[in-house]
Every structure is written in C-alpha cells, then in structure tokens.
Amino acid sequence: MKEAFFAGGCFWCVTPIYKMYGVDKVICGYAGGDEENPTYEQVKHQETGHRETIKLVYDPEKVSYDKLLDIYFANVDPFDAEGQFIDKGFSYTLAIFYGDEEEKALAQSKLDKIAADSGKETFVELLPYKNFYEAEEYHQDYYLKNPEAFEKELIESGRKK
C-alpha cells in the first residue's frame, strides 16, 4: 500500500471521487502547517498554515499515482490562486504533497502540460510531504453520514455542474 496527499479545497467534496476509482481509504485532514494537531476551526480560520488535505491509501497495482493525479486535476480548478470554488483562503488552496522525486516530477509534468495547453498560470504548489493530521471524526466520510448536507454543499459550492 502507498499513500498520497492532495489539498484540493474542501476535503468533503473530493473524498467520494477517489473511492469510486478504487482507492482503499480516503482520510480527511490537515497538512503542511507547523502547528501540531490543528483543529478544523483553526485551519478554517487560517490560523495554522495547514490546508484541508486528503490522505489516500491505495494499492498501486489497482490505481496508479498517475491516475490519482488525473483524478485530482479533473476535480479542482488549478487556475484559482485564492482557494476552490466558494471556499477561499489559504487553507483551501491547492497543493500536492509529494513523497519522492518521482511523484514530484510526475505532478510537475502534468502541471506544465495544463499550463501549456491553457496558456494560463497554474496555482498548485508542489511541496515535500512533512505532516498530516487527521480531521475530527465527523469530517470522515461526510458524504455518507450527511448525504443531504453534502449534496447541498456540492451544489452551493459550484463543484456540481
């Protein structure tokens, strides 16, 4: 099993997408900041330097890192420097926390292609993995625990077109 860490804006909104593609576990949490064990309220209010991030636990024999990146880029707006959809602020900005130079190079290659194909600047940081803190339990599998609220979030955020 391997792990991947993607900050894609609201972690509720991107969780179910990966489960559809054979990822074994998707865990909501916070990554990249210096504060230990941040809370949702601290991260949401931009107090810790963390981003809402998902941790993917996957079998590379079933789904490749390359495919995970394709799923990521198909479900975020890489041209938004201020966050994602209605969620604005640093904690909702995009980042890929890579585990090794191969992951970094693959992500950079995809970013370069997106920028070249669009003629636009992308705003996805590529950062070495340094930490991940699991979010509070009520955030985990939010779409299953609160299907009506989740659907409303998708519509109101602009993610569901």
Side-chain angles (χ1 to χ4, degrees), residues 2-65:
K2 291 193 72 173
E3 297 177 346
F5 300 87
F6 299 143
C10 172
F11 48 36
W12 294 344
C13 295
V14 292
T15 298
I17 298 156
Y18 290 96
K19 291 206 175 180
M20 292 185 328
Y21 286 93
V23 170
D24 291 306
K25 281 187 186 176
V26 182
I27 302 165
C28 293
Y30 317 110
D34 293 323
E35 176 116 3
E36 291 185 22
N37 299 308
T39 67
Y40 175 70
E41 289 302 317
Q42 289 174 311
V43 174
K44 181 179 180 174
H45 292 103
Q46 320 303 321
E47 297 171 359
T48 67
H50 292 84
R51 289 178 168 100
E52 286 196 14
T53 301
I54 54 171
K55 172 183 175 179
L56 307 174
V57 179
Y58 68 100
D59 179 348
E61 297 294 319
K62 293 180 183 173
V63 59
S64 67
Y65 189 76

Side-chain angles (χ1 to χ4, degrees), residues 18-154:
Y18 290 96
K19 291 206 175 180
M20 292 185 328
Y21 286 93
V23 170
D24 291 306
K25 281 187 186 176
V26 182
I27 302 165
C28 293
Y30 317 110
D34 293 323
E35 176 116 3
E36 291 185 22
N37 299 308
T39 67
Y40 175 70
E41 289 302 317
Q42 289 174 311
V43 174
K44 181 179 180 174
H45 292 103
Q46 320 303 321
E47 297 171 359
T48 67
H50 292 84
R51 289 178 168 100
E52 286 196 14
T53 301
I54 54 171
K55 172 183 175 179
L56 307 174
V57 179
Y58 68 100
D59 179 348
E61 297 294 319
K62 293 180 183 173
V63 59
S64 67
Y65 189 76
D66 183 69
K67 179 66 173 175
L68 296 178
L69 288 169
D70 288 343
I71 297 164
Y72 176 77
F73 287 119
N75 288 281
V76 298
D77 177 359
F79 310 113
D80 188 342
E82 296 178 12
Q84 288 295 285
F85 303 92
I86 64 167
D87 296 312
K88 300 300 181 191
F90 180 81
S91 64
Y92 298 108
T93 59
L94 302 178
I96 296 169
F97 298 97
Y98 59 86
D100 58 34
E101 290 303 310
E102 184 179 336
E103 288 180 359
K104 180 183 179 183
L106 188 54
Q108 186 64 62
S109 171
K110 289 188 180 288
L111 273 173
D112 291 346
K113 181 167 179 12
I114 290 168
D117 289 351
S118 68
K120 297 179 185 177
E121 182 178 3
T122 61
F123 297 95
V124 181
E125 284 196 76
L126 299 182
L127 301 167
Y129 172 81
K130 78 175 188 179
N131 58 29
F132 178 83
Y133 299 97
E134 281 191 34
E136 297 81 354
E137 180 56 35
Y138 71 94
H139 293 296
Q140 308 305 330
D141 294 320
Y142 185 83
Y143 71 105
L144 294 174
K145 295 174 185 172
N146 303 285
E148 294 85 17
F150 175 72
E151 182 73 12
K152 184 178 178 197
E153 174 76 16
L154 285 180

